Amino acid sequence: MGEVFALRHSDIDFEQGVIKVRATLADGGTLGTTRQPKLVARTRARRVLLLPFALAALAEAKDAADDRSRRAPAIQSRDGSWVGTHTFRRQLREVRVAPTVRESLAQTGLDPKKLTPLMLSRTASTLGACKPGRLRDARSLLGHSDVNTTRRRYAGVASMTVDELRIFEALFGQDTAVGAQD
């Protein structure tokens, strides 16, 4: 999450549909949210190809931003500063109790309390990791140095995320084969 919110406009290549992941955010308490120009230990800088809906969302955020300079946050708070991960967690807690969200989640069998940043990360990563031969791609996407970390934390939980995968199938209209691992 910190890597997503640390993106600057200069980290996004809209023509190629690629982002450059090379920093993270730190919620510094009294110091506020700051961008660290390096990644957490053992995580590598990487280029990630974006799905069209993600690229469109970033383009919309840039168009709406007060500060569109290359070094400005790609996803800005109301005052044009960095959006902290604590802010996202708080907003997600508020969203998951909204009646329409609760109704949608009830139709899928997913408990609203389980709608967390970690669940979103695991679900998206499991979508990639559970396809045959794609575990190393998921490892690269996540920046893990060891494929076994990805296998344990993401592909290893594929059986627990079947219902969550169905949510993504419904949202994106993609066929996801669960259970196959690299």
Side-chain angles (χ1 to χ4, degrees), residues 109-121:
L110 186 63
D111 179 357
K113 293 177 185 172
K114 291 184 179 180
L115 185 60
T116 65
L118 181 59
M119 186 277 289
L120 295 172
S121 175

Side-chain angles (χ1 to χ4, degrees), residues 22 34 51 113 122 133 159 179:
R22 50 186 172 193
T34 57
L51 292 171
K113 293 177 185 172
R122 282 190 168 164
S159 61

Side-chain angles (χ1 to χ4, degrees), residues 52-112:
F53 78 90
L55 191 61
L58 287 169
E60 186 177 323
K62 183 176 182 179
D63 289 344
D66 289 333
D67 184 356
R68 295 187 189 115
S69 66
R70 294 185 49 75
R71 300 185 61 75
I75 302 169
Q76 299 179 9
S77 66
R78 288 187 185 120
D79 66 2
S81 62
W82 300 104
V83 174
T85 56
H86 62 282
T87 301
F88 178 73
R89 283 186 178 91
R90 179 182 44 77
Q91 290 173 338
L92 188 58
R93 283 191 302 271
E94 292 170 6
V95 164
R96 69 183 182 201
V97 297
T100 54
V101 173
R102 292 182 69 80
E103 289 171 19
S104 297
L105 292 174
Q107 291 175 8
T108 66
L110 186 63
D111 179 357

